[in-house]
Amino acid sequence: MPRAKALMPEQVPADSKSILDAFTKNIGFTPNMMATFSQSPIAFNAWATLRGSLSKVLDVKTRDSIGLAVSEVNGCNYCLSVHSFAAEHMARLPADEIILARKGHAIKP
């Protein structure tokens, strides 16, 4: 049983709303993790800033591959689903590369 519930759009604090709306628009849906995390505007906005900074350093394929590997190690099926969706639809990773990423490997080192 989750300790915190994902917020409905009308429940999201004003200080988190613009960033959450931008993520939703960018990926086409609102992941439960983000809807839950948005309850704490300070933490949510700090995470979003860190994520934005990393996106300038690591390309989308690398970021999604790392997300897949970490989700696999953590055994989180929800995170694997979200990162698999992102890897396929946003990073355009083919299925064989998604499988490799889940194992912590890649076609290109």
Side-chain angles (χ1 to χ4, degrees):
M1 181 172 164
R3 294 183 202 170
K5 285 179 65 175
L7 299 178
M8 300 303 293
E10 63 275 3
Q11 297 172 311
V12 174
D15 290 342
S16 295
K17 186 127 179 73
S18 64
I19 291 177
L20 185 61
D21 288 349
F23 276 113
T24 299
K25 182 179 179 185
N26 186 39
I27 63 176
F29 69 101
T30 304
N32 287 340
M33 189 246 357
M34 288 184 190
T36 303
F37 198 11
S38 69
Q39 292 180 63
S40 174
I42 292 172
F44 183 64
N45 292 318
W47 170 81
T49 300
L50 174 62
R51 187 177 187 279
S53 296
L54 289 176
S55 72
K56 295 173 186 167
V57 178
L58 301 173
D59 64 88
V60 68
K61 287 184 179 185
T62 302
R63 290 192 317 268
D64 285 333
S65 294
I66 292 168
L68 285 163
V70 171
S71 299
E72 185 72 32
V73 169
N74 288 340
C76 180
N77 290 329
Y78 173 79
C79 292
L80 279 170
S81 296
V82 171
H83 286 292
S84 294
F85 177 88
E88 181 180 356
H89 297 285
M90 296 172 71
R92 305 279 190 239
L93 285 175
D96 60 331
E97 289 188 49
I98 291 173
I99 292 167
L100 281 173
R102 288 180 62 174
K103 295 177 181 178
H105 300 286
I107 289 175
K108 291 201 272 185

